[in-house]
Amino acid sequence: TDASQCSTLRCADRYTPFEWWATCLWFPSVCLFVWVATVLWRGVMRSREEALLADCLDSYQRPVGCDDADTRIARRQAWDFLTRKRSYEAFRMGADCPAEHRLLASASRPYNLSLNDLCQRSVDKSRVPEHRTAMTFYMGVRWRTALGATLKMSFCLMFLSSMNATFLRNCAWTMTKEGYNSVVGFINELGTLVKSLTTAVTFLLSFYAIARIQRFWTIQRQGWLVQGRCHDLAMLAGAVVGDSEKDWRARYSLYRHLMLCFFFTYQPLTPNFRAVGFSSLSEAGLLLPGEQAILEKAHKGAGTVCEAWVAKWIQIHMNSESRQAAFQALRELRGGMASVGDTVDQRAPVSFESLLYIAVTALVWLIPFSPLTSDITDRELMVGRPHVAEVFGDAVVVAFYLSLLYMLRHLDSPFDNVGAPYDCLNPMAIMLTTEKKLRDYLTMPHSEYIDGTKEPELCDPMSVIIAKDSGVNVPMRGT
């Protein structure tokens, strides 16, 4: 019988019942398998990081600045900062400081981790081919990246979209044209709702994403600003302070107090620093017993007291010309350190965030039930294919919205190594580079040719010509 003369397409006898259900269910079965496999895979990845996650959560629950008799947790979580003990003797050695008393060459991870850093670290530990696209995909689905964290939900909604496609195919195959048109009308109404929500979500997300990314970059730049002002103070101090034993002890005090200011700026914002108390800082050589007793009595915080100590140091040890420049650098340093916490505390209104999350959540749950094609009224078109591309396209759109929402939520805490370890900033990296540069400014000897009293030794021009003819490279003055 011609299908065009039947009230249902099933009367055309194109498929046996077994063939029809096999045609309908193979794609939903594949989607279900992918979803279940993703759930199991992510569960295995989560179990591997349970210990690290427990330590990080313990850091969140720990009061800032608490002291424990056992500093094991503090040493593990802030290893880059606490692994080397500072001492006046090692500081006094300057350029002759032995390797075992020097600071680490670099932190375990950079200040801002990039995709290139992750790819470089993973290429030697995995069998992923050294290809940019392959490495990008491999790192993108890692544990607690934005895309990787939303894969389970994305594949779940892809499965629902495939079931919706199967439902519409069965309706087109078994129902009359009038009955199928009523189903199509309901699906088109959902499609209209999805279009309206898409417009609202696009506006809200674009506005919110730009603001959050700019805020993240601002916090990142403020860390470099604090670093630069510490360098300015150390550079001025190294140029004007004398070389007596008293002056060297004064330099060491400035070095310690600047690093304490840096540390106390990021301690309440960084989970890795929350377990570091005064006893841990004393063991690291940055805090002396008498100073610890003073900091414990601070009204606002220990960082404020350290800033006052630096100001007093400038007043005592610098002359009038350099003192003005030093106080200007100190004011900028204090403003930069205060801006870090102030910018982190900057939040969108609760009503706006709740509206955004509700709108995105509603959109991603409605997308799988929206129309699959531009013309779902064509029953022959609906029955003839499983609509793989349309379902996969729904999964891609859902994954994009969920990943963006996940990233924006965790960007509210830019130093959060629990929820977003690959996207967070690592202040220990710039603290380590700052500390090494402070030592260079305050301890390295000056060139003996600076004051002009010693005549530089110049090469004989004839010896240079002879050396060049023999193939030896002898640099001349100014080269």
Side-chain angles (χ1 to χ4, degrees), residues 208-411:
Y208 191 66
I210 292 174
R212 292 294 92 182
I213 294 295
Q214 288 180 345
R215 171 179 171 271
F216 180 83
W217 287 336
T218 300
I219 295 172
Q220 184 184 37
R221 289 193 299 268
Q222 287 167 347
W224 292 324
L225 173 64
V226 172
Q227 182 185 49
R229 299 296 81 76
C230 288
H231 294 166
D232 291 344
L233 289 170
M235 181 178 62
L236 292 171
V240 300
V241 178
D243 291 328
S244 66
E245 189 65 22
K246 179 182 177 181
D247 294 330
W248 273 97
R249 293 191 178 278
R251 294 186 186 190
Y252 185 60
S253 296
L254 177 64
Y255 157 74
R256 291 187 301 104
H257 295 161
L258 285 176
M259 290 310 304
L260 288 174
C261 289
F262 213 141
F263 170 79
F264 288 126
T265 298
Y266 287 96
Q267 186 189 28
L269 309 174
T270 308
N272 284 342
F273 285 166
R274 296 179 70 90
V276 181
F278 293 141
S279 60
S280 299
L281 295 174
S282 298
E283 291 182 9
L286 290 172
L287 194 61
L288 302 181
E291 297 172 339
Q292 178 177 344
I294 298 175
L295 295 182
E296 290 174 348
K297 301 177 182 179
H299 296 281
K300 174 64 171 63
T304 306
V305 180
C306 293
E307 293 169 8
W309 289 348
V310 174
K312 187 64 176 178
W313 192 98
I314 295 173
Q315 181 66 31
I316 294 174
H317 296 282
M318 287 191 169
N319 54 41
S320 57
E321 291 80 6
S322 59
R323 187 184 302 152
Q324 182 178 359
F327 273 124
Q328 177 63 29
L330 180 60
R331 284 194 294 267
E332 294 179 3
L333 173 64
R334 188 216 61 80
M337 292 188 295
S339 298
V340 174
D342 294 341
T343 309
V344 171
D345 290 336
Q346 183 183 11
R347 293 286 192 274
V350 176
S351 298
F352 180 86
E353 286 192 337
S354 60
L355 178 63
L356 175 65
Y357 294 152
I358 292 173
V360 174
T361 304
L363 176 61
V364 298
W365 278 100
L366 286 174
I367 284 178
F369 304 101
S370 60
L372 295 173
T373 63
S374 58
D375 187 14
I376 62 174
T377 58
D378 189 342
R379 291 187 295 168
E380 290 282 356
L381 179 62
M382 291 301 301
V383 170
R385 55 194 181 92
H387 306 282
V388 176
E390 292 90 337
V391 172
F392 184 74
D394 287 347
V396 171
V397 173
V398 166
F400 172 78
Y401 281 122
L402 291 177
S403 300
L404 189 58
L405 195 65
Y406 179 92
M407 182 192 69
L408 294 177
R409 182 169 66 249
H410 287 286
L411 283 183

Side-chain angles (χ1 to χ4, degrees), residues 148-160:
T150 57
L151 281 179
K152 288 192 299 184
M153 180 59 68
S154 300
F155 286 135
C156 173
L157 294 174
M158 184 177 72
F159 170 68
L160 293 180

Side-chain angles (χ1 to χ4, degrees), residues 189-203 359 363:
E189 290 177 358
L190 288 179
T192 303
L193 180 59
V194 168
K195 290 181 181 180
S196 302
L197 277 175
T198 301
T199 303
V201 166
T202 301
F203 171 76
L363 176 61

Side-chain angles (χ1 to χ4, degrees), residues 76-81 104-111 113 117 121 272 426 428-429 432:
R76 182 169 65 250
Q77 296 185 353
W79 185 85
D80 293 341
F81 187 66
L104 296 178
S106 61
S108 57
R109 52 157 291 179
Y111 179 45
L113 199 61
D117 297 325
R121 293 184 180 189
N272 284 342
N426 179 30
M428 279 188 286
L432 186 60

Side-chain angles (χ1 to χ4, degrees), residues 62 66-72 75 279-280 283:
R62 186 179 298 271
C66 69
D67 281 302
D68 294 331
D70 181 13
T71 58
R72 175 182 56 86
R75 287 185 179 278
S279 60
S280 299
E283 291 182 9

